[in-house]
Amino acid sequence: MSDFVIFDMEWNMGYQPRTFQYQGVEQTLRGEIIQIGAVQVDNLGNICKTFERLVMPCVHRTIMPKVIELTGITDRSLKGQQGFVQVWQDFCRWAGEEEEIAFWGNCDKAVLLSNLLYHKIDGGESLQMYDLQAMFDCAFLKSGQQTSLSAAIEQLGLPPYGSYHSALSDAVNAANIMRSLGGESFVY
C-alpha cells in the first residue's frame, strides 16, 4: 500500500426516508451527506494531506436539531456550498487513484454508497472499504461491541484532535488510532 484514505462524513436525515430507483431496484437514501473530511496517510499512518468540505443538501434541506447539536452545522453554514456531486468530484481529484478508504464505523459505508447511488455516481462498488472501528474492537475487545471514536482515543491514551462529529477531526482521530496501532499493518 502506498497511501490510504481515512474518510469521515456527517449527514442529515429528514422525518421521512427518501426512496429512489437505481437500475430498477428501489434504494433508500440512508442519510444525506453534509460534510466530508478525509486524510491521506502513508504506510505508517502519518498524515500526508487533508480534505474538508461542507455539502449543500438537496433532499433533506433543513438540518435536524440533533444534527445541529452534534455537529454545529446549520442551514446557514451550508448556504452557498456546493452539492454532493461537485464535492465528490473534488474529493476524487484530491484522493487521486486511491481506491482504499477506511471509516470509523459500519454506518458510513452504507451512507456513502446510498449517496453515490442517489446521485447516479458510478465507482462506489470498486472502492475497497475498511471499518477501523470493527478492526479495533476485534483487536482490543475481542468482541463485536462498537467502541466510539472518543473511547478508543481515550483507551489508547492519545490526545483528541479537534471536535468530535466534525468530519475532518474524526478522520484525523481515526488516522491517529491507525498510526498508534502500526499503520497499514493494523489494517492488513
Side-chain angles (χ1 to χ4, degrees):
M1 174 172 81
S2 55
D3 288 331
F4 195 82
V5 173
I6 299 175
F7 185 93
D8 194 79
M9 63 201 144
E10 304 302 326
W11 64 84
N12 188 39
M13 299 176 77
Y15 291 108
Q16 296 293 321
R18 172 65 65 98
T19 58
F20 61 96
Q21 293 290 316
Y22 182 80
Q23 297 182 348
V25 177
E26 185 170 271
Q27 305 284 331
T28 301
L29 184 63
R30 301 184 183 282
E32 187 170 16
I33 297 172
I34 58 172
Q35 185 183 45
I36 293 175
V39 295
Q40 196 169 52
V41 297
D42 64 16
N43 64 341
L44 299 176
N46 297 308
I47 295 172
C48 302
K49 62 182 182 174
T50 63
F51 180 92
E52 181 179 31
R53 294 281 294 279
L54 291 171
V55 181
M56 172 67 100
C58 67
V59 176
H60 305 299
R61 294 177 185 265
T62 301
I63 305 304
M64 300 297 286
K66 184 66 174 173
V67 174
I68 294 170
E69 179 187 327
L70 285 172
T71 68
I73 299 171
T74 64
D75 295 335
R76 187 173 168 159
S77 61
L78 295 174
K79 188 169 259 175
Q81 299 296 325
Q82 294 178 314
F84 179 77
V85 172
Q86 182 61 52
V87 173
W88 182 255
Q89 290 171 347
D90 292 348
F91 168 76
C92 289
R93 276 191 292 279
W94 171 86
E97 298 296 315
E98 190 55 57
E99 292 193 349
E100 293 184 307
I101 296 179
F103 300 95
W104 188 269
N106 60 4
C107 294
D108 290 5
K109 177 180 179 178
V111 171
L112 175 59
L113 291 176
S114 70
N115 276 258
L116 292 171
L117 293 176
Y118 181 82
H119 291 285
K120 298 175 176 48
I121 298 172
D122 293 328
E125 65 282 348
S126 68
L127 294 172
Q128 181 67 41
M129 298 187 199
Y130 302 92
D131 181 351
L132 294 175
Q133 181 187 51
M135 292 176 190
F136 178 86
D137 293 342
C138 285
F140 284 87
L141 303 177
K142 310 287 191 234
S143 75
Q145 182 180 342
Q146 294 182 323
T147 304
S148 69
L149 188 61
S150 60
I153 288 286
E154 187 176 315
Q155 284 179 11
L156 294 172
L158 299 172
Y161 176 87
S163 300
Y164 293 112
H165 300 292
S166 162
L168 180 59
S169 294
D170 288 353
V172 168
N173 282 314
N176 289 340
I177 290 169
M178 182 180 159
R179 185 182 68 246
S180 75
L181 297 174
E184 77 173 30
S185 65
F186 173 67
V187 175
Y188 298 116

